[in-house]
Amino acid sequence: MNGGEQEFRKDDPVGHAQLGEGRVVADNGATVVVRFDRGIEECERGDLVRRLEPLEAIASAQWANPVETVARVQAEAIRSVNDVWGVFARSKIELLPHQLWVCRQVLSTQPARWLVADDVGLGKTVEAGLILAALASRGGLGRLLVLCPASLVEQWQQRMLDMFDVRLARYHSGADSEKANFWAIHSQVIASLQTLRADSKGRHERLVEGGVWDTVIVDEAHHLNADEDAGPTQGYKLVAKLVEHQLVRSMVFFTGTPHRGKNYGFLSLLNLLRPDLFDPSRGVAAQLPSLSQAVIRNNKYNVTDLEGRKLFQEPLVHSEEYGYSTAEAAFYDMLTEFIVSGKAYASRMSDATQGRAVMLVLIAMQKLASSSVAAIRRAIRGRLERIGRARGELDRLNGSKRDLADYAEAEALGEFDQLSQLEERITERDVELRLMADEEQRLRELLEASERVVEETKIRKVVNLVRSQYAGRSVLFFTEYKATQSLLMSALMQAFGRDAVAFINGDARAEEVVIAAGEAPRVLTEARTDAAERFNEGKVRFLVSTEAAGEGIDLQEHCHTLFHIDLPWNPMRMHQRVGRLNRFGQKERVEVVVVHNPQTVESRIWQKLTEKIEEINRAMANVMEHPEDLGQLVLGAAPSSLYRELFAQASGVPRERLSAWFDEKTSRIGGRDTFEVVRELVGSCARFDFRQSSALLPRVDLPDLEPFVTNVLQLNRRRPQREGDGLSFKTPDSWRRDPTVRANYSGLLFDRHAATRRERGRVVGAGHAVFEHALRQALAIDAPAASIAASDGVTGPLFVYRVTDRVTSERSWVRGVTVAVRVSTNVGECALLHDWQLLQLLNGLKPSMREEGRGGPDVHAEAGKLLTAATAFLDARYNDLPVSFRHARASLVATLWLEGTPS
């Protein structure tokens, strides 16, 4: 070491232009080993600058400009609270305690491997965005792959951009070829699982060759299914391939229905995340204790706001009955005879595959008819139009086989909208299958009977209810089938006008809509996002949707009333439908209206299922604090095929035997084994508990960033001006080297509730260029000690610490936390301030650029004694911090000497 070079001792504070602040581990002469937040690095001596310790500054009376010290400590506190909680993400909606807790939990380990199984309506997309925004703010986002259902791709992409400034490139199969090199060009991608799972034209080989993904997010992860007998689905195989080739570091799954009736499938899903903890070939009981390390589950009726107030109420459910007209009753009687004859015909077929295919068509017809005469009429008419084509061509049987396979997979995965589309398609198009010997003649008789139904009593009942009991209200209608959707749209438009109605379905087309009586039917088109936006803004009163809006879409902003136009055969569909309205942001108690004919077998089965749900809830009420959500889990744990069998077979059961038959068929639902598994599953998951987490939850938001930004601008000799609700200023010269930074900013907002998309670009938070430059500059300030007046009358030092883990072998996304100990010399007490409390205190100070503090040996001696007491106080409270450390280490960052003045 040359004589002119500075000497470094162990634990000396140093600064590095790229790596930030750190502490010396060892001086090796030409190089120096330093512990930074991101890890231990060996640096060239000349790249390091020795920083003053706070006590050194006090001893030599080198008091800093108070604004500099306050800005530096504000930056430390802001970085800390955002690293742990993600609270300064620019989400446009209020961030809830359980969402912040999920972010903290997922980022507590690196790599992050979690299944987030929060209840429907708790904001899983927001939780995902918080996690990604927090990673982006600390430079850890890297290569990102988001997989979700095709219907949610556009919504995910837009929300991540609007709410969190995370920019995702959408995967298109046409852009993925050997020449295009899609995966090398795009590092942050969102893809439809349905598209990417198919290994077409070398797609998976190119994906594997594209490199390692730092983070993989899978929404509606229950679509990654593995069956003990049938094997894994294509989606499961895709993710398993990425894991097998070690191409995934962190991976987070999101689903509201984690356990779908089979322990093997549930454990297989967890095995993708944590093969070290879960093995589907082993019994589930022995693996349940490990769930808290991999599964997060929050119940809608347990979550609270920051004051501990419950956020959700259970919906009010009303039943509205109607009866068939003479023409409707005659048609349904004729259809019932047709289906019974068809089932008998199918049972005698020598080809079992053909027999199952015929059964599937008949069941689809039964379901269509239970929705509306219009739905089954459209299917019959389409079938008759095709019935003469290709019959007898044996090679066309492959279409029916594919339909059987597709139906089984969609049913197993709970892809409800796809199921409805398949049911409409196979009824019309699988005409190579003969449903009975005289099928064509009987179909024509059915068609004639259906055409005698000139008005459907259910639709008339719905319109009358909307006119009377629900006058003036926005209403969300759900139906399974497009024909029923068009029928209801026609009735609503004729009663309330075309501009009163919007719609959502799988292909954005509504056919055979009659806008005004006497007019010809028309085809209407509307994008899902446009319909949802118009409905949420109150521009249309009614939204008529198929199951395409059953998941991943928020419709609660202007509506709290939902009508079930038909009764889906799987009760989980109704739970998901209600979740579109009963979610955070809903200002009213949700009302649900079930429209049904009590004389139908479907209605009787639904009544039995409702009684079963109540029975489950009563049983759970004896052992669980909040049983409602568990009742839904128990229902979801039953295979979808069971519900299909209930409705399909009930029509053949004599009415006097229906109750006994139902009890026998449903003995598996809510049985002791399922009951125990669900109870243990929920009890073993990690979950947010307000009572345990209340003291740690940060009570800060975007407005708390404004004093910090103002201080940094002041240090750059800028004078920000208030213009209405916004902040305007000329950008500091040093920031303008970044091409993304503007020369001037006008009307910057520190408010996540900015109403318009244009205003969203002016909201300052994590990821905004102004915030990031201010933070980076402030963290590099060397201003370890300052003296400043405090208006609360308390005199004494505020010691600010950065707490990290001495153990570097276990990585975490959270690099450390900032805390402070305030020592009141005039009271003789120490108080621990978490990062967010420290920020609130600093924001209340009014530092001057010219203030100076006391110095000299006496002050240094006093400060040294107080620091010893403060450090001992902190050492005894590491367990009170929001992050766990194996071996915590506290390094003093700065000292603010507060001079108490009466407020």
Side-chain angles (χ1 to χ4, degrees), residues 636-692:
S640 296
S641 57
L642 172 60
Y643 298 115
R644 171 166 47 82
E645 291 170 10
L646 277 176
F647 286 94
Q649 297 173 11
S651 59
V653 179
R655 188 162 187 170
E656 63 273 12
R657 289 198 61 249
L658 188 64
S659 292
W661 175 84
F662 177 89
D663 291 341
E664 180 181 347
K665 291 287 290 185
T666 60
S667 60
R668 288 177 286 170
I669 303 177
R672 183 173 182 82
D673 290 345
T674 302
F675 180 95
E676 292 299 331
V677 167
V678 169
R679 188 176 70 169
E680 290 298 321
L681 185 153
V682 173
S684 300
C685 295
R687 67 169 60 83
F688 167 74
D689 186 322
F690 181 80
R691 290 168 296 184
Q692 294 178 3

Side-chain angles (χ1 to χ4, degrees), residues 744-811:
N744 297 277
Y745 283 92
S746 177
L748 287 185
L749 301 172
F750 296 84
D751 179 8
R752 67 175 71 256
H753 303 293
T756 68
R757 183 166 293 181
R758 184 182 64 84
E759 289 177 334
R760 293 291 312 142
R762 296 192 283 123
V763 174
V764 178
H768 193 284
V770 166
F771 170 83
E772 297 298 338
H773 278 280
L775 190 68
R776 195 176 304 118
Q777 178 180 339
L779 288 172
I781 293 173
D782 186 15
S787 177
I788 188 171
S791 62
D792 59 3
V794 178
T795 295
L798 181 73
F799 296 110
V800 180
Y801 298 87
R802 181 74 171 166
V803 182
T804 56
D805 204 326
R806 293 178 184 273
V807 177
T808 58
S809 58
E810 293 191 8
R811 303 177 66 195

Side-chain angles (χ1 to χ4, degrees), residues 52 166 208 449 474 518 531 583 763 853:
L52 272 181
V166 174
V208 168
S474 291
R583 54 199 308 110
V763 174

Side-chain angles (χ1 to χ4, degrees), residues 217-323:
I217 300 285
V218 182
D219 190 24
E220 306 297 344
H222 52 270
H223 293 181
L224 308 180
N225 190 45
D227 186 84
E228 194 167 10
D229 299 319
T233 60
Q234 286 183 310
Y236 187 98
K237 289 178 181 177
L238 169 65
V239 176
K241 182 180 290 187
L242 295 177
V243 173
E244 179 186 347
H245 285 81
Q246 298 183 342
L247 297 176
V248 179
R249 293 194 176 103
S250 292
M251 184 157 59
V252 186
F253 293 165
F254 291 88
T255 174
T257 50
H259 193 292
R260 303 182 68 81
K262 295 185 179 180
N263 292 332
Y264 184 89
F266 176 61
L267 293 173
S268 295
L269 186 64
L270 293 179
N271 179 259
L272 288 175
L273 291 167
R274 295 293 302 271
D276 57 319
L277 297 179
F278 302 100
D279 181 352
S281 65
R282 294 168 45 218
V284 68
Q287 302 180 70
L288 287 175
S290 298
L291 288 180
S292 62
Q293 301 177 58
V295 183
I296 294 168
R297 173 76 181 178
N298 287 310
N299 182 344
K300 179 181 291 182
Y301 300 102
N302 285 346
V303 299
T304 68
D305 62 13
L306 282 170
E307 304 305 319
R309 296 184 292 258
K310 296 290 178 68
L311 292 173
F312 292 93
Q313 303 179 72
E314 292 188 33
L316 293 171
V317 181
H318 307 288
S319 179
E320 293 289 347
E321 298 181 356
Y322 70 96

